[in-house]
Amino acid sequence: MSLQAITLRQLRSVQAVNRLGTIAAAARTLGLTAPAITLQIKQMEEAFGLPLFDRTSDGMRIKEAGACVLSAANAIEHALRDMRDEIDALKGLKRGRVRLGVVSTAKYFAPSILAAFGAEHPGIDIELEVGNKSRIAEDLRTMALDIALMGTPPRDLPIRARVFGDHPLVVVAAPGHALAARRSLELQDLAGHRMLVRERGSGTRRSLELFVRDMPELLDDRLLELDSNETIKQSVMAGLGIAFLSAHTVALEVELGRLVILNVAGTPIRRQWFAVTRADRVPTPAESAFWDFLMRRAARFLPVLPNLYDEANV
């Protein structure tokens, strides 16, 4: 089979297998048989002369050649969707779809943004994906996403990025923690206290590493790595240690008195939220509408902590 003979059905099989992890799950989703999916993958591997997936006991794992095919498949799907949306726009229809990715920290305000946007544009569907910074950046690279909300835009992609709001990061503890009663703290005062941190690859973890770069031992002493903001918050409230988190993730717990923000010199660390999209493709009407909404209204949906910027921190 020549490369020119590759079909949309074959490309969609690669997308489904990568997304779902198994031939059987891909077959069910696409309404085909498992042998049919297997044949389509095999035909493409023969055409390219390279395997697209590793077959493991845990499922199908995409290889480098498969990632190239996946990127092309996503680009083709996007082009087809562009065509449909542009034709709909010409016909006066207010329809469309936006694939939105948000880093884990942004999930605390993203639903409010989506609800408000939906009220303005009820005919536009938003597909939401939540992941850490590395996952969202990779999906931008393969064009699996149209727009992303994140703290630090990727530097290795042709992108368009615009700030839509402030993003403060703080150190938090349980109200009964030994440091909670201290009116002011220096970075060295955190030594000896267990620090709960996000996994490597998250934007919050990277910001913490930059913050303590002059005292890296803080990340070696009684460090506990957890893979979600919720798990970290629950662990801090249970008294397992202190944590470095986005202020937007702890707004409710601080308001309810279940967490306190420690007045550590140099905090809050002031970062920004960015809307990010690929610069090497033309946005659909739906994407343009959502982008414009983000620039106009997204900032008002960011959680607010009235006592965050006390006199000692500003």
Side-chain angles (χ1 to χ4, degrees), residues 225-292:
E225 184 176 293
L226 301 168
D227 64 359
S228 78
N229 294 319
E230 284 303 314
T231 303
I232 290 177
K233 288 194 297 183
Q234 293 297 324
S235 299
V236 172
M237 289 187 286
L240 288 182
I242 60 177
F244 180 85
L245 290 170
S246 163
H248 294 146
T249 70
V250 299
L252 179 61
E253 288 79 8
V254 171
E255 182 180 349
L256 296 176
R258 302 179 68 188
L259 288 174
V260 296
I261 296 175
L262 300 183
N263 191 359
V264 180
T267 65
I269 294 178
R270 303 168 193 271
R271 298 287 186 259
Q272 293 175 311
W273 283 113
F274 289 85
V276 182
T277 189
R278 292 286 294 253
D280 53 353
R281 43 175 291 274
V282 177
T284 66
E287 291 168 36
S288 295
F290 186 66
W291 184 274
D292 291 342

Side-chain angles (χ1 to χ4, degrees), residues 23-297:
I23 294 287
R28 287 193 297 270
T29 298
L30 297 177
L32 299 172
T33 65
I37 298 291
T38 300
L39 178 61
Q40 289 174 0
I41 299 297
K42 181 179 179 181
Q43 288 173 335
M44 295 190 71
E45 290 177 329
E46 290 175 350
F48 289 113
L50 289 169
L52 304 185
F53 293 92
D54 280 326
R55 281 76 168 169
T56 74
S57 58
D58 295 326
M60 304 285 279
R61 297 289 181 268
I62 199 161
K63 296 176 72 68
E64 187 173 359
C68 292
V69 175
L70 179 64
S71 180
N74 289 337
I76 290 170
E77 290 282 7
H78 186 274
L80 292 173
R81 186 160 51 87
D82 285 353
M83 176 183 67
R84 184 200 66 200
D85 287 350
E86 288 172 9
I87 290 174
D88 286 347
L90 290 173
K91 292 160 60 177
L93 300 178
K94 296 182 178 180
R95 293 172 47 196
R97 178 174 67 111
V98 178
R99 299 170 300 176
L100 175 67
V102 304
V103 294
S104 303
T105 301
K107 69 182 181 182
Y108 293 91
F109 58 82
S112 297
I113 293 176
L114 299 188
F117 176 76
E120 282 192 12
H121 301 276
I124 297 178
D125 297 323
I126 305 290
E127 295 181 4
L128 179 64
E129 176 186 323
V130 180
N132 68 19
K133 175 187 172 183
S134 296
R135 170 68 183 275
I136 298 302
E138 174 62 18
D139 285 348
L140 278 173
R141 187 186 70 78
T142 62
M143 295 191 180
L145 294 174
D146 301 318
I147 297 174
L149 307 184
M150 57 201 317
T152 305
R155 298 180 178 178
D156 59 345
L157 296 175
I159 61 166
R160 178 165 65 111
R162 288 278 301 276
V163 173
F164 68 87
D166 292 330
H167 182 198
L169 296 114
V170 295
V171 182
V172 296
H177 192 277
L179 296 178
R182 300 274 296 273
R183 184 165 180 80
S184 62
L185 296 163
E186 298 296 326
L187 190 58
Q188 57 265 31
D189 293 324
L190 306 184
H193 296 275
R194 181 183 288 113
M195 178 72 75
L196 311 182
V197 300
R198 284 288 304 276
E199 78 285 0
R200 294 187 184 276
S202 75
T204 303
R205 174 66 171 265
R206 177 58 179 158
S207 293
L208 173 61
E209 291 169 347
L210 290 173
F211 178 50
V212 303
R213 61 185 177 275
D214 294 332
M215 289 189 65
E217 61 271 21
L218 288 178
L219 297 184
D220 297 326
D221 186 17
R222 305 181 68 193
L223 184 71
L224 181 57
E225 184 176 293
L226 301 168
D227 64 359
S228 78
N229 294 319
E230 284 303 314
T231 303
I232 290 177
K233 288 194 297 183
Q234 293 297 324
S235 299
V236 172
M237 289 187 286
L240 288 182
I242 60 177
F244 180 85
L245 290 170
S246 163
H248 294 146
T249 70
V250 299
L252 179 61
E253 288 79 8
V254 171
E255 182 180 349
L256 296 176
R258 302 179 68 188
L259 288 174
V260 296
I261 296 175
L262 300 183
N263 191 359
V264 180
T267 65
I269 294 178
R270 303 168 193 271
R271 298 287 186 259
Q272 293 175 311
W273 283 113
F274 289 85
V276 182
T277 189
R278 292 286 294 253
D280 53 353
R281 43 175 291 274
V282 177
T284 66
E287 291 168 36
S288 295
F290 186 66
W291 184 274
D292 291 342
F293 180 87
L294 289 173
M295 298 304 107
R296 286 188 294 109
R297 298 190 59 194

Side-chain angles (χ1 to χ4, degrees), residues 7-30:
T7 67
L8 276 175
R9 176 170 288 188
Q10 290 170 327
L11 293 174
R12 284 168 177 162
S13 293
V14 172
Q15 290 174 308
V17 171
N18 177 69
R19 183 173 68 253
L20 301 171
T22 68
I23 294 287
R28 287 193 297 270
T29 298
L30 297 177

